[in-house]
Amino acid sequence: RTKPYQETQWMSELENQIVLGHRPPLSPDAPALWNRLTASCWQTQPQKRPPFSEILLQLNKILRFALSPAAMM
């Protein structure tokens, strides 16, 4: 696993990359629900990001799945 934006030396470069929509790759090892939530929170336009109430619902859904017997297999 690599550190996100490790090639960036200055905070201003990092800010520019983020404003331009650059994001670190999502982990192929992470659950699909987690990657979908992460991607939705990374939307460049704030109005396209989920409200905090939706984030909480999704996090609860991820937690319930992680604790389910199916996830333990």
Side-chain angles (χ1 to χ4, degrees), residues 20-41:
L20 292 172
H22 298 283
R23 302 292 188 268
L26 296 169
S27 173
D29 299 326
L33 291 172
W34 181 263
N35 280 342
R36 278 196 295 264
L37 176 59
T38 302
S40 67
C41 291

Side-chain angles (χ1 to χ4, degrees), residues 5-70:
Y5 305 106
Q6 67 184 12
E7 70 283 351
T8 305
Q9 293 181 337
W10 304 102
M11 184 60 73
S12 60
E13 290 177 29
L14 176 59
E15 290 171 2
N16 287 336
Q17 287 183 15
I18 292 171
V19 167
L20 292 172
H22 298 283
R23 302 292 188 268
L26 296 169
S27 173
D29 299 326
L33 291 172
W34 181 263
N35 280 342
R36 278 196 295 264
L37 176 59
T38 302
S40 67
C41 291
W42 284 352
Q43 289 291 322
T44 54
Q45 296 176 342
Q47 65 273 20
K48 289 188 175 184
R49 296 179 200 144
F52 197 70
S53 58
E54 178 62 26
I55 293 170
L56 287 175
L57 288 172
Q58 292 302 316
L59 288 173
N60 280 321
K61 187 176 182 180
I62 292 167
L63 181 60
R64 280 194 311 274
F65 176 76
L67 297 175
S68 72

